Amino acid sequence: METMNDTELDALDQSLVHALVIDGRASFSRLAEVLEVSDQTVVRRYRRLRTTGLVRVVGLPQGSRVGLFESWLRVQCAPDAALPVAEALARRPDIAWVTLNSGGTEVHCMTRARTRRDRDTLLLEKLPRTRRVTGISAHTILRKFFGGPDSWAGVDALRPDQIAALERPSAPPGPDRYALDETEFALLAVLGRDGRAGYPELARATGLSESTARRRVERMRDLGALFFDVEFVPSLFGYEAEATMVLTVPPARLAEVGAALASHREVPFAAAVTGAASLMAVVVCRDTDALYTYLTERIGAVDGVGQVEVIPALRSVKRAGMLVEGERLVDPPPAP
């Protein structure tokens, strides 16, 4: 009989999460085979992780491939307004990530707008009219060096042969954007809440047959329009220090520095952005001492880095579309 605290992850739980990071839609039978346990054990473990809000698999569009307008926003607020502003932003379906930063007076978020007009409405109309917002800086994501479909190395529970057994071929870069149709947006609406939703559910949501829904999902994956992300609160894996790092890098060194950060296991996301500082990265470390070591020894050793700003994350409010309550992930309210 398995007994454990409902927020405790044992070795098998961590291996299952690592397996899902590699392929979030791998069948339970395939996961069981790789993890060398029974199908029933994998199903039971996964259901516990999901129903308790410890782990969520979500299907997301690859923004640069499908033409989404992605920006990183820094929203300065009066001290007593930052949390309400962060929570209001988190309720928006076009906002993917929200954190409370910088002593509780700054909100960071990532926008994923379908059109330029939607993005501009948020930046030019809605946020400036929000009470107690004192400043906004918007930085367009120019190029991702790491993140999205890339598997973060911070979850490290599987053997190399197990990883190889689950890895899928990388989607080839296409010269043209993939134009999502309304049926595919309907598929993404379901997968954005549950990346492992069954094909009967996807068929009901879209009016497609199950076989057609399966083909659509596989086609989007194969062409790099859709990827599956695994979300969890890093503290469950012993990571207590999260920060956003903003780096000033000369244009001639940007690709080189971006590639260097992409190779660091402490970095789950790094991108070139517009603005005075040309590169931003999310950094996750065991504690503040490890963050200091990363800054001085890893970042300090990268040629081409000029100024560095480290902005601690005090609280995650939304992660990849999921609201955060303590160490648990919960579904956002339905879009109005």
Side-chain angles (χ1 to χ4, degrees):
M1 186 76 176
E2 297 176 3
T3 60
M4 61 182 71
N5 184 289
D6 68 355
T7 61
E8 177 185 348
L9 299 184
D10 65 13
L12 179 55
D13 289 329
Q14 294 189 28
S15 294
L16 176 56
V17 173
H18 191 182
L20 292 169
V21 167
I22 298 168
D23 184 358
R25 267 191 87 83
S27 68
F28 286 125
S29 59
R30 182 61 176 152
L31 293 169
E33 179 184 0
V34 171
L35 298 179
E36 301 167 353
V37 295
S38 70
D39 294 14
Q40 293 84 353
T41 296
V42 168
V43 170
R44 185 169 60 249
R45 291 301 185 102
Y46 174 75
R47 286 178 176 168
R48 168 185 166 264
L49 292 173
R50 190 180 191 284
T51 56
T52 56
L54 300 182
V55 172
R56 288 294 178 92
V57 179
V58 290
L60 301 171
Q62 178 69 294
S64 59
R65 186 75 173 93
V66 303
L68 296 182
F69 292 86
E70 297 181 300
S71 300
W72 171 53
L73 306 186
R74 298 179 68 172
V75 182
Q76 289 78 40
C77 305
D80 61 342
L83 182 56
V85 169
E87 292 173 338
L89 286 168
R91 289 192 290 270
R92 293 180 59 97
D94 57 350
I95 301 292
W97 296 76
V98 183
T99 56
L100 195 61
N101 300 71
S102 201
T105 60
E106 186 169 291
V107 177
H108 291 183
C109 63
M110 286 283 187
T111 70
R112 299 171 64 88
R114 287 179 60 173
T115 68
R116 181 179 283 107
R117 180 177 180 179
D118 290 342
R119 179 200 62 186
D120 292 348
T121 297
L122 173 66
L123 296 180
L124 302 178
E125 298 179 20
K126 294 189 179 296
L127 275 174
R129 294 176 183 172
T130 303
R131 294 184 59 192
R132 313 302 299 279
V133 169
T134 59
I136 306 165
S137 59
H139 308 266
T140 300
I141 304 295
L142 297 175
R143 175 71 57 84
K144 291 180 185 175
F145 297 110
F146 194 87
D150 301 308
S151 297
W152 180 45
V155 182
D156 185 15
L158 298 182
R159 304 185 307 265
D161 63 300
Q162 293 174 305
I163 294 172
L166 289 165
E167 285 180 327
R168 289 171 54 93
S170 299
D176 302 317
R177 284 181 177 170
Y178 184 98
L180 293 167
D181 61 26
E182 291 305 315
T183 297
E184 288 165 336
F185 276 115
L187 286 170
L188 287 167
V190 178
L191 294 171
R193 289 178 175 269
D194 181 5
R196 294 185 63 84
Y199 291 107
E201 180 181 353
L202 294 173
R204 287 192 299 271
T206 58
L208 301 173
S209 67
E210 291 183 30
S211 60
T212 302
R214 181 188 298 272
R215 286 195 299 271
R216 286 288 192 105
V217 170
E218 288 303 313
R219 181 170 183 266
M220 286 193 290
R221 291 190 83 180
D222 291 343
L223 295 178
L226 166 68
F227 70 95
F228 290 92
D229 194 15
V230 177
E231 275 309 312
F232 52 85
V233 177
S235 60
L236 290 173
F237 283 79
Y239 294 99
E240 300 291 346
E242 295 185 66
T244 298
M245 194 169 289
V246 187
L247 303 91
T248 302
V249 181
R253 306 297 295 274
L254 187 53
E256 177 186 349
V257 175
L261 264 65
S263 70
H264 295 172
R265 66 177 293 127
E266 295 89 350
V267 176
F269 181 86
V273 296
T274 57
S278 49
L279 196 153
M280 65 83 63
V282 175
V283 179
V284 179
C285 295
R286 294 291 180 186
D287 50 33
T288 53
D289 186 65
L291 177 60
Y292 172 82
T293 300
Y294 174 71
L295 176 64
T296 56
E297 298 182 7
R298 302 294 299 279
I299 295 297
V302 177
D303 291 334
V305 174
Q307 293 182 330
V308 179
E309 180 183 9
V310 180
I311 310 161
L314 302 183
R315 176 176 171 182
S316 288
V317 182
K318 189 177 189 180
R319 307 181 71 93
M322 296 289 113
L323 301 182
V324 182
E325 295 181 356
E327 293 185 330
R328 302 178 190 274
L329 303 168
V330 299
D331 289 328

